[in-house]
Amino acid sequence: MFRFWYRFVPENTSIISRGATDLAYKRIDPELLSYMGGVFEEICKQYIWKLLLDGKCTVNFSDLGRWWSTNPKTKTQDEIDIMGTDKDSALFAECKWTNEKVDLSVLEPLIERSNLFYYKKKHFYLFAKTGFTKGCMDRATEMGNVTLVEDHEMLKA
């Protein structure tokens, strides 16, 4: 709530105080999707922390963070939304706050980026606002080390 307030309300205070809430919303709406992406990532981190504290996480990490660097294979900037490591295991996660279902175009690059690291055991988490395509769900089942989480499932945890 505070993050939203300080991001959007001060610059729209005059409009809001004059009762022009529709106008304020029209100014805020174009930025909401990108704003919510960062908020959703933080919620996903909290979810993974809760899994660890409840003894249900696949990797016994000591910290979570974002990874980004130049990929030596592609010579492009790559990033991983959430990464946590233990001695010989790691978790890699992507968080997508979009109105489309998450498909293999999110899972496959995450797997590829994880290959830049040498851990014996790897587990992947995909978080999605609106769910997953059948292809993504099938591949996750086939691999056996992928957890798919929709935003409404995090509320149950």
Side-chain angles (χ1 to χ4, degrees), residues 39-106:
V39 172
F40 187 58
E41 282 183 26
E42 185 58 36
I43 293 168
C44 296
K45 279 187 200 175
Q46 291 173 17
Y47 178 84
I48 295 172
W49 272 109
K50 182 164 180 13
L51 289 177
L52 178 75
L53 298 174
D54 290 347
K56 298 177 182 176
C57 192
T58 56
V59 175
N60 191 26
F61 61 88
S62 57
D63 200 8
L64 290 176
R66 171 183 292 275
W67 173 87
W68 63 270
S69 185
T70 301
N71 185 324
K73 294 177 184 177
T74 63
K75 307 290 188 233
T76 59
Q77 288 288 314
D78 279 344
E79 69 177 303
I80 297 171
D81 290 341
I82 302 171
M83 185 174 167
T85 62
D86 192 18
K87 296 175 186 86
D88 63 348
S89 60
L91 70 82
F92 303 90
E94 285 292 318
C95 313
K96 297 299 176 193
W97 185 261
T98 65
N99 292 325
E100 293 83 35
K101 291 186 176 202
V102 170
D103 65 10
L104 290 173
S105 67
V106 174

